[in-house]
Amino acid sequence: MAGEHTGFDGPVRERDLSRDRSPWHEECGIFGIYAPGKDVARLAYYGLFALQHRGQESAGIAVADGRHIAVHKGMGLVAEVFNQDNLRALKGNLAIGHVRYSTTGASSLVNAQPLVFRYLRGMVAIAHNGNLTNANRLRRELGARGSIFQSSTDSEVIVNLIARYSQEPIEAALRRCQDELEGAYSLVVMTEEKLIGVRDPFGVRPLCLGKMGEAWVLASESCALDTVGAAFCRDIEPGEIVVIDSQGVRSIQGRRAPHSAHCIFEYVYFARPDSILDGETVNLVRRELGRNLAREYRVAADVVIPVPDSGIAAAAGYAEAAGLPFIEGLMKNRYVGRTFIQPTQEMRDLGVRLKLNPIKSILKDKRVIIIDDSIVRGTTSRRIVAMVRQAGVREVHLLAASPPVLYPCYYGIDTSARGELIAARYSLEDIRRHVGADSLYYLSLEGLFRSVSRGAENFCAACFSGRYPIPIPSPEEASKYSLEGGA
């Protein structure tokens, strides 16, 4: 596999690998509920709790009562933003919620969602997961026609497009928006009386529908349905617009691409293992990733340990296929969030030390295989290998349950340059030396696709292959902060 990487003569310098400002982050989590007579704000709060892994910068809930939309949002975790008093003040029959990690726009309250606005037909609230690849062009066009932007998030472009088509009902306006939007987006949109879910034509970002008695729920992942007691009904189809109101649920098939392009990294890392995304149970996919990794690379070792949490299922699958003991050699502090979604390098460095601790009595004198879901920058892997070596092991072998991440994502994950990706810059051997492992292996792209039941043509794996299903922006427009300078 070394031939797939850029060559490098000489040792890898730490300053070259750790100075990158923007890490690979998760996108956002969205939730919507239509439940007249129920405490929709509190149910949305629980739903956002279940989606907290998708974003930790800000959280918000908007509630509609048939006449008005009220919103509360703030910076921080769901439990930090909401309390009994502000939840009690959010009264209504339907609600939408959002947890955010910024992929376009700075981490600030003005960019927190849901966005709530007034237009010709009344009030609308919107929560968005994904990233628009043509946001800069649309923002310039809208600005030239008099649109005013309050934030630097690409989600506000959608708001202004809805306002442009305000002569039409909201669902028709959203259908018109689909013809102009490019990129990845799953949306929950709310008027005073309607809850609407929208998925982009390729279905890059997930969105599903659930039912709870007479109530209806939309969520990024099915785990949020489980949390509020809703039964999973189905995934929203690519390009589909689902409208929920007093008349029930109806579907409008909007613009749809020739094939789907579900994000494969949702299964590798992003999604909770108990979620079902587009017919695939995440935990089972990850176990199969581990089995296929064992079929490709058998390493002489005594034990297999995971990097918790997203590496656990893959490590179990590897151990099962390789006939090796699976043990929890790294203990995770459950009260520390994922280091991948901390917005600064300093916070990530501290996060690794706070988050994981090796169990020395289990690891001492063992030949250890560490299974991680992926290796993106390599800085976290290096610290984990060092921690395991300090526990007194004989050998450390690092295996990734996904291929090398060689290309940036433009569809809602915060990497905007190949220079941020260690595998795009250095050879396999250079990366092995940098992380300090005795051996290093990645799952092949073929092994990745063998781990899912649907064909490769149904997934976006551009971060591994460089084959982008949707046109990508220029390097200047791809910057996370490209909308900071105004229209």
Side-chain angles (χ1 to χ4, degrees):
M1 294 182 66
E4 297 180 24
H5 304 267
T6 303
F8 179 84
D9 295 325
V12 177
R13 295 178 175 86
E14 172 65 21
R15 58 185 173 89
D16 288 332
L17 295 176
S18 61
R19 66 185 178 188
D20 300 317
R21 180 175 60 186
S22 299
W24 177 296
H25 293 284
E26 301 185 51
E27 332 90 353
C28 303
I30 58 176
F31 184 88
I33 182 166
Y34 184 94
K38 294 187 178 293
D39 188 348
V40 292
R42 194 169 299 274
L43 289 168
Y45 170 78
Y46 293 145
L48 293 183
F49 244 113
L51 299 172
Q52 185 75 86
H53 60 285
R54 298 186 70 87
Q56 296 179 325
E57 282 191 5
S58 66
I61 295 172
V63 172
D65 63 3
R67 301 180 306 278
H68 180 76
I69 296 177
V71 63
H72 181 84
K73 53 188 175 180
M75 303 303 293
L77 303 175
V78 175
E80 296 169 338
V81 172
F82 294 99
N83 56 44
Q84 292 285 0
D85 292 335
N86 56 45
L87 283 173
R88 194 178 296 116
L90 295 172
K91 297 184 181 299
N93 298 317
L94 57 161
I96 64 172
H98 188 268
V99 288
R100 181 175 192 255
Y101 181 83
S102 55
T103 57
T104 299
S107 173
S108 62
L109 183 58
V110 72
N111 288 330
Q113 297 187 31
L115 301 177
V116 179
F117 62 101
R118 295 180 183 273
Y119 79 134
L120 183 65
R121 288 180 170 267
M123 298 187 73
V124 175
I126 184 172
H128 171 210
N129 173 27
N131 203 56
L132 302 181
T133 56
N134 65 339
N136 281 274
R137 178 178 61 79
L138 289 174
R139 187 180 174 110
R140 288 193 298 269
E141 292 175 1
L142 289 163
R145 297 180 184 183
S147 293
I148 297 173
F149 292 86
Q150 303 288 332
S151 72
S152 60
T153 173
D154 60 342
S155 307
E156 198 176 5
V157 170
I158 304 173
V159 167
N160 277 274
L161 284 176
I162 293 172
R164 174 192 281 184
Y165 303 121
S166 59
Q167 299 292 338
E168 304 179 44
I170 184 68
E171 51 266 51
L174 288 165
R175 174 63 188 89
R176 293 282 295 274
C177 289
Q178 285 185 316
D179 291 333
E180 301 199 43
L181 299 175
E182 294 178 3
Y185 55 90
S186 285
L187 310 173
V188 285
V189 181
M190 183 177 69
T191 68
E192 296 94 337
E193 297 178 330
K194 293 180 181 179
L195 173 65
I196 304 170
V198 186
R199 202 170 181 193
D200 72 74
F202 286 87
V204 178
R205 296 288 152 230
L207 188 63
C208 63
L209 175 69
K211 198 170 192 303
M212 182 177 59
E214 298 302 311
W216 293 94
V217 182
L218 294 164
S220 292
E221 296 183 34
S222 65
C223 64
L225 305 182
D226 298 334
T227 297
V228 300
F232 174 82
C233 294
R234 63 180 181 86
D235 294 289
I236 305 303
E237 292 295 319
E240 186 181 7
I241 301 170
V242 172
V243 183
I244 305 169
D245 58 19
S246 60
Q247 304 303 309
V249 179
R250 65 183 186 278
S251 172
I252 302 167
Q253 184 55 57
R255 180 183 167 204
R256 183 162 188 168
H259 61 86
S260 60
H262 308 310
C263 174
I264 196 74
F265 219 82
E266 291 278 358
Y267 301 93
V268 172
Y269 173 75
F270 292 148
R272 255 178 49 168
D274 52 334
S275 287
I276 300 171
L277 303 182
D278 294 298
E280 306 272 2
T281 300
V282 174
N283 180 273
L284 297 181
V285 171
R286 291 181 184 167
R287 283 180 175 271
E288 194 60 22
L289 290 171
R291 293 188 190 103
N292 283 326
L293 186 60
R295 293 174 186 126
E296 293 181 0
Y297 302 105
R298 290 297 180 96
V299 179
D302 300 311
V303 295
V304 177
I305 69 171
V307 176
D309 286 318
S310 51
I312 291 175
Y318 185 98
E320 175 189 307
L324 291 171
F326 167 88
I327 63 171
E328 291 187 72
L330 291 168
M331 183 54 58
K332 179 179 178 181
N333 182 343
R334 303 293 172 182
Y335 298 95
V336 178
R338 290 183 173 189
T339 57
F340 243 6
I341 51 178
Q342 302 299 333
T344 67
Q345 183 68 44
E346 181 181 0
M347 290 174 68
R348 288 195 300 275
D349 293 345
L350 177 62
V352 175
R353 296 192 297 271
L354 289 174
K355 177 180 172 183
L356 296 173
N357 192 42
I359 304 175
K360 296 178 181 179
S361 59
I362 292 177
L363 298 177
K364 185 176 174 58
D365 297 325
K366 299 285 197 312
R367 298 172 298 169
V368 176
I369 294 173
I370 302 174
I371 304 290
D372 205 351
D373 57 85
S374 60
I375 301 171
V376 181
R377 294 180 309 269
T379 50
T380 299
S381 300
R382 179 173 179 157
R383 295 185 183 96
I384 290 172
V385 170
M387 281 194 299
V388 172
R389 284 204 184 279
Q390 291 166 7
V393 302
R394 288 167 55 195
E395 297 174 5
V396 181
H397 305 275
L398 179 62
L399 281 71
S402 61
V405 180
L406 297 168
Y407 301 92
C409 175
Y410 300 96
Y411 307 140
I413 306 166
D414 185 15
T415 56
S416 56
R418 289 194 75 190
E420 298 169 1
L421 309 173
I422 189 171
R425 301 169 66 189
Y426 303 108
S427 71
L428 186 64
E429 176 58 20
D430 291 328
I431 300 169
R432 183 197 67 77
R433 290 203 304 268
H434 173 70
V435 300
D438 293 293
S439 68
L440 171 67
Y441 300 102
Y442 292 90
L443 181 67
S444 69
L445 191 60
E446 295 75 20
L448 175 70
F449 287 131
R450 282 197 300 270
S451 303
V452 290
S453 59
R454 305 177 71 180
E457 67 278 5
N458 293 297
F459 294 94
C460 175
C463 53
F464 304 124
S465 68
R467 294 188 290 272
Y468 295 96
I470 305 168
I472 61 176
S474 67
E476 295 76 18
E477 293 189 333
S479 169
K480 170 179 174 177
Y481 303 102
S482 62
L483 299 182
E484 291 290 331

